[in-house]
Amino acid sequence: MIHTGFPTHGPTLGDVGEHDVIQAIVNAAPSALNGDDAAVLTPSVPNSRVVAATDMLVAGRHFTETFTTPYAVGQKAVVQNFADIEAMGANPIAALLAISAPPQTPLAVVEDLARGIGDITQHWTSELVGGDVTSGSELVISVTAIGSIGGNLDALRLNRARPGQRVIAHGRIGYSAAGLALLQSGKDIPDEFDVLIQAHQVPQLTPGSGVVARAAGATAMTDNSDGLIKDVSTLARNSGVCIDLTSVALAPDAVLTAAGEYLGVDPWQWVLTGGEDHTLIGTCDGSAPVGFRSIGTVSKGTGVRIDGHEPTYTDGWESF
Amino acid sequence: MIHTGFPTHGPTLGDVGEHDVIQAIVNAAPSALNGDDAAVLTPSVPNSRVVAATDMLVAGRHFTETFTTPYAVGQKAVVQNFADIEAMGANPIAALLAISAPPQTPLAVVEDLARGIGDITQHWTSELVGGDVTSGSELVISVTAIGSIGGNLDALRLNRARPGQRVIAHGRIGYSAAGLALLQSGKDIPDEFDVLIQAHQVPQLTPGSGVVARAAGATAMTDNSDGLIKDVSTLARNSGVCIDLTSVALAPDAVLTAAGEYLGVDPWQWVLTGGEDHTLIGTCDGSAPVGFRSIGTVSKGTGVRIDGHEPTYTDGWESF
């Protein structure tokens, strides 16, 4: 049984005021680089370039308070940003956090969120180095990730997939969408599906997987954020190639299949359109890098196919 | 007469969808670095370190739609972030933008905002290199600024004010608060006060002023964001010094005085507590750097004084 829900009691942001809110965040996610007008980061690799990405999460839109915890939301906000950095083959080194929240929000919500951020950033030996807090009518969390890429290899681009390459993936695809469907169903959730709930609450991204892929010959990469077919289509369109996925490499595993039966849903829908796994998908010459598996091939042409045919499901996340 | 107000007609974000919203932003603020999972920035100075800061603006809280324009809000969001970079003595090189907006928001609002961002970033020869758009119940704009600092001089820190130093300032102080007071009064605003309205809509920060100050011997710096006394108190507290400001150097000028008379307000209140000018305040050894003026002295002790006395007004911005 996975813990869900936001704290509803205790002193609020309005009760304690801006100074104490910031102090709670800094205590939960400490960094010696925080506390000035801006953070100064010293790069540590030769030919170091800066890599930056940002994502915004809105309560009720990107997460549901009863389906998750502030701790998990903080982790998710970091992981989905760090996934964008990893998808360049770069190394996340710092995060910045801007929060807007109603004054009646319990301080415990922000503390728990910052603790999640502080803990997950350490998986990448990175830190929360700065931020901003303000009041607003709904909880909005904006995280910016800063990464570093060194050496002379190119960054992993959306437009670098080439005919003849292998399509590679790291991590489980469809788990996040299955977890969300279970939570939304309102049914009791058997313990065997905990792994799906966890994957929905906090995307499971292995630190360094993008860096490894770049070193091992990957050229194009993105993260599975909006739905597999949609994200792979972005790679194919930007690169001007056709990507043919292999169904046996993507087929729902035992847990996804069981969850599909439990809810009366075709689990292929989660795999092909779910998104939010924030695992890495790319293309490479030669064999798949350590930790990656082959899920298809790149050829001349356009669009995305599965075993040579149109995918059954092609929807994905739309912001509006 | 200054133009104010947000567009209320035309196709909405919900009408055109995510792709077209992003395209409108990219057209209004173009950058070759935008469009991948993350932006890759190549530093161009020796011993280059990365400097990063973020700020969030909420409609109705940080700006009032009838008092400004989306174009000005976009500029303001960039300038207040770039002020944090300049306050380190660093050079802003890029901005990232995350927007949450209701689907019924006219696309023209986002286009105009992005145009403001695109135009103002060019004052620093920088670019909008990435971002995120999502729907939410209110308009929230989060900008992250990335800067670069090179050479062997230290960054300008909050804790580097030292007894014997001169206190220096760049730009007009109190203008933004006076402009806001005029707008809030509901009275007709004579043209002579346009400069105050403009300063409120878009903070007037001279590109490179922080970089110049660092090169010329400044050691501590911040920007005037929350109110002069509050921001100078932050410098004094972090540095463990007393800062004594000189009233003749801060006295309201003819425009502030006239606006004070027009509204029946003591203009010293705007100067000492207004904030949002986002001009630079710091300390330095020797004479004031080019473009800066002396506004006081640093001595042993604690707190902030004016001509040796407690300031008349000490309030400032509080987020909650």
Side-chain angles (χ1 to χ4, degrees):
Chain A
M1 190 56 208
I2 305 274
H3 173 60
T4 61
F6 270 45
T8 54
H9 294 85
T12 68
L13 306 187
D15 292 337
V16 304
E18 177 176 350
H19 177 270
D20 283 8
V21 174
I22 292 171
Q23 203 54 51
I25 294 172
V26 170
N27 289 345
S31 168
L33 303 178
N34 206 339
D36 216 307
D37 293 296
V40 179
L41 314 173
T42 305
S44 58
V45 290
N47 187 23
S48 182
R49 284 148 286 160
V50 182
V51 184
T54 192
D55 259 332
M56 192 176 254
L57 282 72
V58 180
R61 173 87 183 145
H62 298 91
F63 59 91
T64 303
E65 300 194 355
T66 50
F67 293 170
T68 186
T69 64
Y71 184 84
V73 169
Q75 294 192 300
K76 180 180 176 178
V78 169
V79 172
Q80 69 179 61
N81 273 286
F82 280 12
D84 285 327
I85 303 297
E86 292 267 6
M88 303 305 288
N91 191 30
I93 56 173
L96 295 107
L97 167 70
I99 298 184
S100 171
Q104 63 271 26
T105 306
L107 179 64
V109 169
V110 173
E111 281 181 317
D112 198 33
L113 184 117
R115 202 152 35 228
I117 289 173
D119 286 356
I120 197 80
T121 50
Q122 291 185 41
H123 293 199
W124 276 267
T125 58
S126 73
E127 296 173 27
L128 180 68
V129 299
D132 190 28
V133 295
T134 183
S135 68
S137 66
E138 64 189 344
L139 180 59
V140 179
I141 298 154
S142 180
V143 167
T144 300
I146 297 178
S148 169
I149 189 165
N152 289 309
L153 289 170
D154 286 337
L156 304 180
R157 301 287 184 175
L158 294 173
N159 64 359
R160 297 284 167 82
R162 293 288 171 265
Q165 284 188 319
R166 184 187 297 274
V167 182
I168 55 175
H170 191 294
R172 287 153 168 170
I173 297 170
Y175 271 40
S176 177
L180 176 60
L182 286 162
L183 288 163
Q184 286 176 330
S185 73
K187 297 172 83 168
D188 282 339
I189 303 175
D191 287 351
E192 61 173 315
F193 299 142
D194 279 0
V195 65
L196 303 176
I197 305 300
Q198 282 165 336
H200 176 67
Q201 290 184 337
V202 183
Q204 306 291 306
L205 174 69
T206 305
S209 39
V211 176
V212 164
R214 174 172 174 253
T219 58
M221 192 156 279
T222 191
D223 70 313
N224 174 26
S225 55
D226 295 343
L228 180 65
I229 298 301
K230 192 166 178 183
D231 293 318
V232 171
S233 295
T234 300
L235 277 180
R237 189 177 57 250
N238 276 275
S239 297
V241 297
C242 172
I243 291 182
D244 195 358
L245 301 173
T246 309
S247 63
V248 293
L250 293 169
D253 64 10
V255 179
L256 282 179
T257 303
E261 281 168 10
Y262 187 68
L263 296 180
V265 171
D266 179 0
W268 272 105
Q269 198 170 330
W270 297 326
V271 171
L272 299 183
T273 71
E276 286 207 286
D277 292 306
H278 295 292
T279 51
L280 300 179
I281 302 152
T283 69
C284 73
D285 301 307
S287 57
V290 172
F292 285 79
R293 63 191 184 280
S294 296
I295 63 165
T297 53
V298 185
S299 61
K300 289 184 185 173
T302 58
V304 176
R305 316 207 141 249
I306 298 184
D307 300 338
H309 302 96
E310 285 287 323
T312 333
Y313 305 102
T314 58
D315 289 349
W317 171 268
E318 277 286 337
S319 287
F320 293 101
Chain B
M1 189 56 208
I2 305 275
H3 173 62
T4 60
F6 270 46
T8 54
H9 293 85
T12 68
L13 306 187
D15 291 338
V16 303
E18 177 177 350
H19 177 270
D20 284 7
V21 174
I22 292 172
Q23 204 53 50
I25 294 171
V26 169
N27 289 346
S31 168
L33 303 178
N34 206 340
D36 216 307
D37 294 295
V40 179
L41 315 173
T42 305
S44 57
V45 291
N47 187 24
S48 182
R49 286 149 284 162
V50 182
V51 184
T54 193
D55 259 332
M56 191 176 255
L57 281 72
V58 181
R61 173 83 184 150
H62 297 92
F63 60 91
T64 303
E65 301 194 355
T66 49
F67 293 170
T68 186
T69 64
Y71 184 83
V73 170
Q75 294 192 301
K76 180 179 175 178
V78 169
V79 172
Q80 69 180 64
N81 272 286
F82 280 13
D84 285 327
I85 303 296
E86 291 266 5
M88 303 305 287
N91 191 30
I93 56 173
L96 295 108
L97 166 71
I99 298 185
S100 171
Q104 64 270 27
T105 305
L107 178 64
V109 169
V110 173
E111 280 180 317
D112 198 35
L113 185 117
R115 202 153 34 228
I117 290 173
D119 287 355
I120 197 82
T121 50
Q122 291 185 40
H123 294 198
W124 277 266
T125 58
S126 73
E127 296 173 27
L128 179 69
V129 298
D132 190 28
V133 295
T134 183
S135 68
S137 65
E138 65 189 343
L139 179 60
V140 179
I141 299 154
S142 182
V143 168
T144 299
I146 297 178
S148 168
I149 190 167
N152 289 310
L153 290 169
D154 285 337
L156 305 180
R157 301 287 184 177
L158 294 173
N159 64 0
R160 295 284 167 81
R162 293 287 172 264
Q165 284 187 319
R166 183 187 299 273
V167 182
I168 55 175
H170 191 294
R172 287 153 169 170
I173 298 171
Y175 271 41
S176 176
L180 177 60
L182 285 162
L183 288 163
Q184 286 176 331
S185 73
K187 297 172 82 168
D188 282 339
I189 303 175
D191 288 351
E192 62 172 314
F193 299 142
D194 278 1
V195 65
L196 304 175
I197 305 299
Q198 282 164 336
H200 176 66
Q201 290 184 336
V202 182
Q204 305 291 306
L205 174 68
T206 305
S209 40
V211 175
V212 164
R214 174 172 172 253
T219 58
M221 191 155 279
T222 191
D223 70 313
N224 174 26
S225 55
D226 294 344
L228 179 67
I229 298 301
K230 192 167 178 183
D231 292 318
V232 170
S233 295
T234 300
L235 277 180
R237 190 177 57 252
N238 277 274
S239 297
V241 297
C242 173
I243 291 182
D244 195 357
L245 300 173
T246 309
S247 63
V248 293
L250 294 169
D253 64 10
V255 178
L256 282 179
T257 303
E261 281 167 11
Y262 187 69
L263 296 179
V265 171
D266 179 0
W268 272 105
Q269 198 170 329
W270 297 326
V271 171
L272 299 183
T273 71
E276 286 208 284
D277 292 305
H278 296 291
T279 52
L280 300 179
I281 303 153
T283 69
C284 73
D285 300 308
S287 56
V290 172
F292 285 79
R293 63 192 184 279
S294 297
I295 62 165
T297 53
V298 185
S299 61
K300 290 185 184 174
T302 58
V304 176
R305 316 208 142 247
I306 298 184
D307 299 338
H309 301 96
E310 284 286 324
T312 334
Y313 306 102
T314 58
D315 289 350
W317 171 269
E318 278 286 337
S319 286
F320 294 100

